[in-house]
Amino acid sequence: MADGIKAIVFDTFGTVVDWRGSIISDLASWGVEQGLNVDWADVVDRWRDRYNPQKARVRSGELPWTNLDELHFDALKTVFDEMGLPLLDEARMMHINKVWHRLNGWPDASRGLHRLKTKFIIGPLSNANVAILVNMAKHADLPWDNVFSCELFQHYKPDPETYLGVCKLLYLEPSAVMMCAAHNYDLAAARALGLRAAFIARPNEYGPGQTTDLKAEQDWDYVADDLEDLARRLGC
């Protein structure tokens, strides 16, 4: 079944990196150093709750194109206000905002990607902007061949321009590109445009009590336990 697949692109937040666990760990340690008494788990959950609504404002045209770092910073200030926390000085607020640049991969991520890279072109197809993805790759040893940030297309997933934009940049037909994600909606949008699809469950992405994306909801081309398992299934 791998015949004809030339490139694999990956959802990144949740599929490749553990955004929630990374942010809580990072900011909890930093907060102690700064003498801040903040429930960082509450911060990150509230912050992430604004992710889709913020993107929707851009996708609907309510906002002009705005990259994810800027959307995150606006949302972070709203979260602080909602929680009754005073805004910190700009340098410290920016340090918090850039925690998204310092996310750790899931335990299988780096090894799996290194294996997949031996056979396929690999890169993130992520709503994150270029700076986030490049810095994250350095931090977590993610060996991308290219960074397919939605910033390049000025559209957020699941807009067709994102998936088809990858195909255009690589001079590949959609059937030669596979989307890998832990989110069924992402794969459904890619498949509707002719891309192949690989699902990996990340049941702890949202922490305890996650209720979404616990299993494959369609008959995807591949369903794997993790990225190393996907590499094995693809003969890497």
Side-chain angles (χ1 to χ4, degrees), residues 56-74:
R57 296 177 67 199
V58 176
R59 295 181 67 234
S60 70
E62 179 186 343
L63 290 177
W65 172 256
T66 308
N67 75 27
L68 200 58
D69 262 330
E70 294 168 352
L71 293 179
H72 276 161
F73 197 55
D74 182 64

Side-chain angles (χ1 to χ4, degrees), residues 173-221:
E173 292 297 318
S175 60
V177 179
M178 185 161 70
M179 183 77 211
C180 176
H183 310 121
N184 285 279
Y185 88 90
D186 203 354
L187 298 182
R191 172 179 271 181
L193 298 167
L195 281 74
R196 310 282 282 277
F199 178 80
I200 294 173
R202 298 296 192 188
N204 298 313
E205 176 186 355
Y206 288 90
Q210 179 171 323
T211 59
T212 59
D213 292 314
L214 298 178
K215 63 181 181 179
E217 295 173 2
Q218 293 188 37
D219 182 21
W220 305 120
D221 296 285

Side-chain angles (χ1 to χ4, degrees), residues 20-206:
R20 186 178 187 273
S22 298
I23 291 175
I24 294 170
S25 177
D26 183 301
L27 295 181
S29 297
W30 177 78
V32 170
E33 295 173 2
Q34 297 293 314
L36 300 173
N37 182 22
V38 175
D39 183 345
W40 295 110
D42 193 16
V43 168
V44 71
D45 289 339
R46 291 171 183 263
W47 202 0
R48 184 68 176 192
D49 280 347
R50 284 160 178 74
Y51 180 67
N52 286 326
Q54 288 280 70
K55 287 187 301 171
R57 296 177 67 199
V58 176
R59 295 181 67 234
S60 70
E62 179 186 343
L63 290 177
W65 172 256
T66 308
N67 75 27
L68 200 58
D69 262 330
E70 294 168 352
L71 293 179
H72 276 161
F73 197 55
D74 182 64
L76 177 63
K77 290 184 286 186
T78 300
V79 168
F80 265 55
D81 181 64
E82 181 180 284
M83 294 177 65
L85 300 171
L87 293 181
L88 306 174
D89 59 84
E90 185 173 355
R92 289 195 291 175
M93 291 298 291
M94 190 57 66
H95 177 83
I96 295 171
N97 198 55
K98 286 189 173 181
V99 72
W100 295 91
H101 295 231
R102 306 187 297 270
L103 303 181
N104 300 319
W106 295 106
D108 57 278
S110 181
R111 294 191 299 270
L113 291 175
H114 275 280
R115 290 174 59 181
L116 288 163
K117 184 182 172 77
T118 64
K119 188 172 181 179
F120 303 98
I121 297 167
I122 63 169
L125 176 53
S126 171
N127 289 317
N129 46 289
V130 171
I132 291 176
L133 293 171
V134 170
N135 291 329
M136 190 195 308
K138 287 289 189 184
H139 175 79
D141 187 26
L142 309 177
W144 306 127
D145 290 306
N146 193 41
V147 168
F148 300 103
S149 166
C150 288
E151 185 175 32
L152 301 176
F153 314 118
Q154 298 208 342
H155 282 269
Y156 284 118
K157 293 186 297 179
D159 286 358
E161 290 86 351
T162 59
Y163 308 100
L164 296 179
V166 170
C167 303
K168 182 178 180 180
L169 287 175
L170 291 178
Y171 281 80
L172 291 174
E173 292 297 318
S175 60
V177 179
M178 185 161 70
M179 183 77 211
C180 176
H183 310 121
N184 285 279
Y185 88 90
D186 203 354
L187 298 182
R191 172 179 271 181
L193 298 167
L195 281 74
R196 310 282 282 277
F199 178 80
I200 294 173
R202 298 296 192 188
N204 298 313
E205 176 186 355
Y206 288 90

